[in-house]
Amino acid sequence: MKKTLILIIEDNDDIRESTAEILQLANYDVLQAVNGRTGVDLAMSHLPDVILCDIMMPELDGYGVLYLLHKNEQTATIPFIFLTAKAERVDMRKGMEMGADDYLTKPFDDVELLNAIESRLSKRDKQQIFYSQSLEKLSVLFSNTSGLQELEKIIAARKVRGVKKRQVVYYEGDNVSGVYLVMNGKVKTFKLSEDGRELLTGMYGTEDYFGITSLLLNAPYKETAEALEDSTVCMLPKDLMDDLLSRFPDVARQFIQLISTNLQDKEEQLLQLAYHSVRKRMAEVLARLCKQEEQGLELVLRVSRDNLAAMAGMATETVSRILSDFKDEGIIERKGSQIIVLDQLKLQHMKN
């Protein structure tokens, strides 16, 4: 059985060698790199199972290593753990937003090191199980189409990518690279106005596709996509999708139906922004979010005021005022960033 391969990228000889010794005693295979540039080369040539990487290094720092590996299709999904000194912990927010999976603060002991690696490997294995189950569910969308088998082959050949909350999947204006499938979690798409205000154009949950319009138009992405929570996505590359859509009209028709549904939702959103009161718009937004959750007497929505404001096209101060009114009327309760919907029927009545 093949051993798990760990790549250590660390310019401090003592730390790198002692870490390697611990991992080898735990029956891991280990590769060592003395700087970031060498680490990137080793990662791309050996495709390790986990990467441990220092931040401050010569040649190329840890942020540069992470950036380059995430741009490469084969290394983008390798679990990545930063090694950081205590003084650098304030910079870890940047690393996590870039897509790092975890970090260890130096000096760390044997148990901390092994727990961090085992946790990343366990999460990867669970994602792969979830991923294989999701392939079966795709048959519902593409039932009775001759392209189903080909689509499954494309997805099966792809690696899933973990994205942290608030991490950007792609920016408005980026060249289209393909279509994205949400395997787990939630992703939003939005546009920014000239004065910097955010207008949310879509929300996507498990088994939803986004980026379809840009693919079919062969045009840069018209909006920015960002994770609303820790999520897992799968990117279906443009060249493979172009080939699939051209060879299997039934599959193309299904994607066109998805686009049509999205267009209807956006047309409805524009009508609400133009003609509905702010109170009615907020009721509609909450009702729409309720549809995406499991049904029950009470629903817990985890959504920020900023995202509610972007969805409804209003200021965050207005959102706070309306939510306070809804709370006074017994429609919702609030616990921190959570909104507990107590009366869905009243919400539906308000939005109609």
Side-chain angles (χ1 to χ4, degrees):
M1 183 177 178
K2 182 183 176 182
K3 288 185 179 180
T4 300
L5 178 62
I6 311 294
L7 170 60
I8 306 171
I9 309 174
E10 168 65 68
D11 63 318
N12 184 297
D13 294 341
D14 291 337
I15 295 176
R16 187 182 65 256
E17 291 171 4
S18 62
T19 302
E21 184 178 355
I22 294 169
L23 295 175
Q24 288 165 344
L25 288 173
N27 205 31
Y28 292 115
D29 282 339
V30 179
L31 285 173
Q32 301 182 46
V34 298
N35 59 57
R37 193 171 300 280
T38 302
V40 170
D41 292 339
L42 287 175
M44 291 183 176
S45 59
H46 292 274
L47 301 179
D49 296 287
V50 178
I51 296 173
L52 304 175
C53 183
D54 189 23
I55 293 181
M56 303 302 295
M57 293 183 296
E59 301 287 337
L60 184 70
D61 66 12
Y63 299 129
V65 171
L66 180 59
Y67 175 78
L68 291 176
L69 294 183
H70 271 193
K71 285 184 69 70
N72 184 285
E73 182 181 312
Q74 291 185 302
T75 57
T77 59
I78 298 175
F80 193 98
I81 302 174
F82 268 131
L83 305 178
T84 173
K86 286 185 177 180
E88 299 165 351
R89 289 189 65 178
V90 293
D91 297 325
M92 286 315 303
R93 177 69 180 174
K94 175 182 177 181
M96 301 306 280
E97 288 179 348
M98 288 179 64
D101 296 284
D102 203 351
Y103 67 93
L104 286 169
T105 303
K106 297 183 283 191
F108 47 83
D109 59 30
D110 302 8
V111 174
E112 288 178 304
L113 173 64
L114 295 175
N115 281 344
I117 290 175
E118 289 170 5
S119 174
R120 289 300 108 197
L121 292 173
S122 175
K123 185 174 181 179
R124 182 199 62 182
D125 293 341
K126 289 177 181 178
Q127 286 177 344
Q128 290 175 344
I129 293 172
F130 177 86
Y131 174 64
S132 61
Q133 292 172 342
S134 294
L135 287 177
E136 298 175 4
K137 296 179 182 178
L138 286 173
S139 60
V140 176
L141 177 63
F142 293 97
S143 58
N144 300 320
T145 69
S146 56
L148 172 61
Q149 186 176 4
E150 291 298 319
L151 179 65
E152 289 184 345
K153 287 180 181 178
I154 290 175
I155 297 176
R158 310 301 299 169
K159 291 186 178 180
V160 296
R161 169 188 171 191
V163 287
K164 298 291 185 180
K165 181 178 180 180
R166 297 181 181 174
Q167 183 181 343
V168 171
V169 180
Y170 58 75
Y171 287 95
E172 180 179 354
D174 284 353
N175 290 329
V176 60
S177 54
V179 171
Y180 288 85
L181 170 64
V182 182
M183 307 299 289
N184 190 25
K186 289 184 180 178
V187 173
K188 70 175 181 179
T189 54
F190 63 91
K191 295 180 71 70
L192 292 177
S193 63
E194 291 183 358
D195 59 3
R197 287 183 297 172
E198 182 180 299
L199 176 63
L200 194 143
T201 57
M203 288 185 63
Y204 304 89
T206 302
E207 298 178 44
D208 287 339
Y209 292 87
F210 60 98
I212 303 173
T213 305
S214 295
L215 174 78
L216 296 182
L217 290 174
N218 192 26
Y221 293 114
K222 298 298 183 182
E223 50 203 5
T224 298
E226 179 183 291
L228 279 170
E229 58 188 50
D230 290 353
S231 305
T232 306
V233 300
C234 175
M235 196 272 280
L236 309 178
K238 179 180 180 301
D239 54 349
L240 293 179
M241 287 303 299
D242 284 343
D243 179 63
L244 180 69
L245 293 172
S246 64
R247 288 193 293 123
F248 298 99
D250 290 341
V251 176
R253 190 157 43 245
Q254 292 289 347
F255 275 105
I256 292 172
Q257 289 176 359
L258 290 175
I259 291 177
S260 300
T261 301
N262 290 340
L263 285 175
Q264 286 181 337
D265 291 342
K266 290 180 180 179
E267 286 175 356
E268 181 64 26
Q269 185 180 10
L270 287 173
L271 286 173
Q272 292 159 5
L273 291 174
Y275 299 112
H276 292 178
S277 67
V278 292
R279 180 181 171 89
K280 191 170 183 178
R281 278 149 53 188
M282 183 53 58
E284 195 283 333
V285 166
L286 293 177
R288 196 189 324 159
L289 291 173
C290 287
K291 283 185 179 180
Q292 298 180 348
E293 302 292 336
E294 295 182 3
Q295 295 300 310
L297 295 177
E298 295 183 1
L299 286 178
V300 179
L301 304 178
R302 296 172 177 83
V303 58
S304 68
R305 288 191 312 157
D306 290 340
N307 283 325
L308 285 174
M311 293 180 71
M314 61 181 71
T316 53
E317 293 79 5
T318 306
V319 171
S320 296
R321 175 172 55 80
I322 297 173
L323 291 180
S324 295
D325 291 342
F326 286 179
K327 180 180 179 181
D328 293 339
E329 296 167 25
I331 300 173
I332 66 169
E333 282 289 342
R334 299 188 66 183
K335 290 184 179 179
S337 61
Q338 296 181 351
I339 299 174
I340 303 173
V341 179
L342 304 175
D343 196 333
Q344 295 183 59
L345 291 177
K346 191 175 287 187
L347 270 182
Q348 292 289 341
H349 177 73
M350 291 171 60
K351 80 180 188 70
N352 294 328

